[in-house]
Amino acid sequence: MTPVLKIAVVGPESTGKSTLSALLAAHYHTVWVPEYAREYCANLTEAPTIDDEVAMFYGQLKLEQEYLPRANKILICDTTFITVKIWSDAFFGHTPQVVLDELPRRPYDLYLLLDIDMPWQDDPLRDFPTRREHFMEIWHEELKALNANYVTISGLGEERGQAAIRAIDGFLKEKGAF
């Protein structure tokens, strides 16, 4: 059986991760894993705690495992638990050890880092409209620290989608996959 390739769609807030994940899943006739933290945080009545971050970490891992058997050779992941590290560091000044331990053990085959060239869309679950450049740099640092295979995706609308498809197709060709 051919292993499923995991493609992570990541980046700062309001960069179109969910929209692009759905588009890519449709294009490649597969499924996409939604961002667990979005639903989790929508149900909170207070600001997330460090324990909530750990719960979101485990929730994202569980969700990916649930979707994996339904994937058609590629699993598109709308964010990853690297987000837990980034938010934990931003809000609490540190990351839970369980997250740090698992980061190098759970790589994705390709990360698509979405650029901040899209206009900000207000959402009650988004926090940092004025710090997008800062978080873009953090994403670059985190992916480099993992020695991750990643491509920055820019552009608006269809242009962004086509750039992501080109990046994935190039990766698949390079890997000799499918």
Side-chain angles (χ1 to χ4, degrees):
M1 181 174 160
T2 304
V4 173
L5 296 174
K6 291 174 39 175
I7 310 291
V9 181
V10 299
E13 298 174 301
S14 192
T15 53
K17 294 178 293 290
S18 298
T19 300
L20 184 61
S21 294
L23 180 144
L24 294 172
H27 179 82
Y28 291 103
H29 308 289
T30 192
V31 295
W32 63 283
V33 181
E35 179 184 10
Y36 181 83
R38 177 161 275 284
E39 185 173 327
Y40 186 95
C41 288
N43 292 316
L44 291 176
T45 56
E46 297 180 17
T49 66
I50 197 76
D51 290 336
D52 289 316
E53 294 294 336
V54 172
M56 287 183 265
F57 159 73
Y58 284 116
Q60 190 68 41
L61 291 181
K62 182 178 181 217
L63 205 53
E64 284 185 20
Q65 290 304 309
E66 289 173 8
Y67 278 76
L68 196 58
R70 298 176 15 213
N72 177 23
K73 301 178 184 171
I74 298 173
L75 181 67
I76 305 294
C77 300
D78 175 0
T79 209
T80 71
F81 72 90
I82 298 172
T83 303
V84 170
K85 180 182 186 314
I86 291 171
W87 288 125
S88 292
D89 287 348
F91 286 116
F92 308 108
H94 72 282
T95 299
Q97 193 60 47
V98 66
V99 175
L100 294 174
D101 291 345
E102 288 300 315
L103 276 172
R105 294 181 191 146
R106 296 183 183 266
Y108 294 77
D109 296 287
L110 177 66
Y111 295 81
L112 303 178
L113 175 58
L114 302 193
D115 202 350
I116 55 174
D117 55 346
M118 289 183 66
W120 176 267
Q121 297 290 318
D122 277 328
D123 180 320
L125 297 177
R126 294 183 179 146
D127 297 304
F128 296 110
T130 61
R131 299 197 61 208
R132 294 171 87 196
E133 289 180 13
H134 167 75
F135 283 105
M136 188 67 178
E137 285 303 314
I138 298 292
W139 272 103
H140 280 290
E141 290 170 15
E142 293 295 338
L143 293 170
K144 288 175 184 173
L146 289 170
N147 199 28
N149 181 17
Y150 79 97
V151 177
T152 302
I153 303 296
S154 302
L156 300 176
E158 190 175 321
E159 179 185 357
R160 195 177 202 83
Q162 289 304 312
I165 290 168
R166 281 191 306 275
I168 293 172
D169 286 351
F171 168 75
L172 295 175
K173 184 177 180 182
E174 180 182 302
K175 294 280 288 180
F178 321 134

